[in-house]
Amino acid sequence: MQQTMYSCVPSPFYERRYERFSIGHAATLTTVQPGLGSVSVRTCRMIDISRGGASFAVQTTIGLPQHYYLHIIGTSLRIGCAEVYRNGDRIGVQFIKPIEQTLLREIIRQEFFTGQNAKAPKRR
């Protein structure tokens, strides 16, 4: 099999395993210090989500470790996350275990009914 120069170029289109959905949900990040020394909670605003990960915006990343739990307001689960990137106040994470398709549908459906998407045009 012959390779072309394009087969060696990384592409986000082919690297992502799951479809991403834009959402604007409020969420919280819960961190646990080593030895259960302390627990801290901070708020964030979801940007997008897939079965395998998400991105969100926070006020500050100071003191935020690279592993934490994500709780999307309106759901009952805390999702274990491993940070993939930080870019200013935007953070991208990979979920420790992919979330179920039914939970993802519930989150997206809630977004549709509440109209929380920050990218959606404002009604007059």
Side-chain angles (χ1 to χ4, degrees):
M1 176 180 221
Q2 292 182 345
Q3 289 186 338
T4 67
M5 64 180 202
Y6 298 111
S7 65
C8 299
V9 176
S11 169
F13 179 76
Y14 294 109
E15 291 174 4
R16 289 195 173 154
R17 292 175 44 190
Y18 304 108
E19 183 179 5
R20 289 199 169 272
F21 299 92
S22 295
I23 63 172
H25 280 312
T28 60
L29 303 176
T30 304
T31 61
V32 179
Q33 299 303 319
L36 299 174
S38 67
V39 175
S40 67
V41 178
R42 65 176 77 195
T43 60
C44 66
R45 173 66 56 187
M46 301 295 302
I47 297 171
D48 62 30
I49 191 168
S50 73
R51 287 194 60 213
S55 65
F56 44 84
V58 294
Q59 292 291 327
T60 180
T61 59
I62 295 173
L64 185 65
Q66 292 186 334
H67 294 87
Y68 34 80
Y69 293 99
L70 172 68
H71 173 244
I72 301 170
I73 306 301
T75 67
S76 60
L77 296 177
R78 285 185 298 169
I79 305 165
C81 300
E83 198 169 288
V84 177
Y85 71 86
R86 287 185 189 189
N87 186 5
D89 67 345
R90 185 173 175 160
I91 297 174
V93 296
Q94 179 178 4
F95 298 146
I96 302 301
K97 178 182 173 190
I99 61 175
E100 295 295 324
Q101 186 70 33
T102 54
L103 175 60
L104 181 62
R105 282 190 204 125
E106 177 186 329
I107 293 167
I108 295 166
R109 188 177 308 121
Q110 185 181 29
E111 176 76 20
F112 177 77
F113 287 119
T114 61
Q116 292 180 6
N117 192 333
K119 294 181 181 179
K122 303 255 191 281
R123 291 185 181 182
R124 295 180 196 203

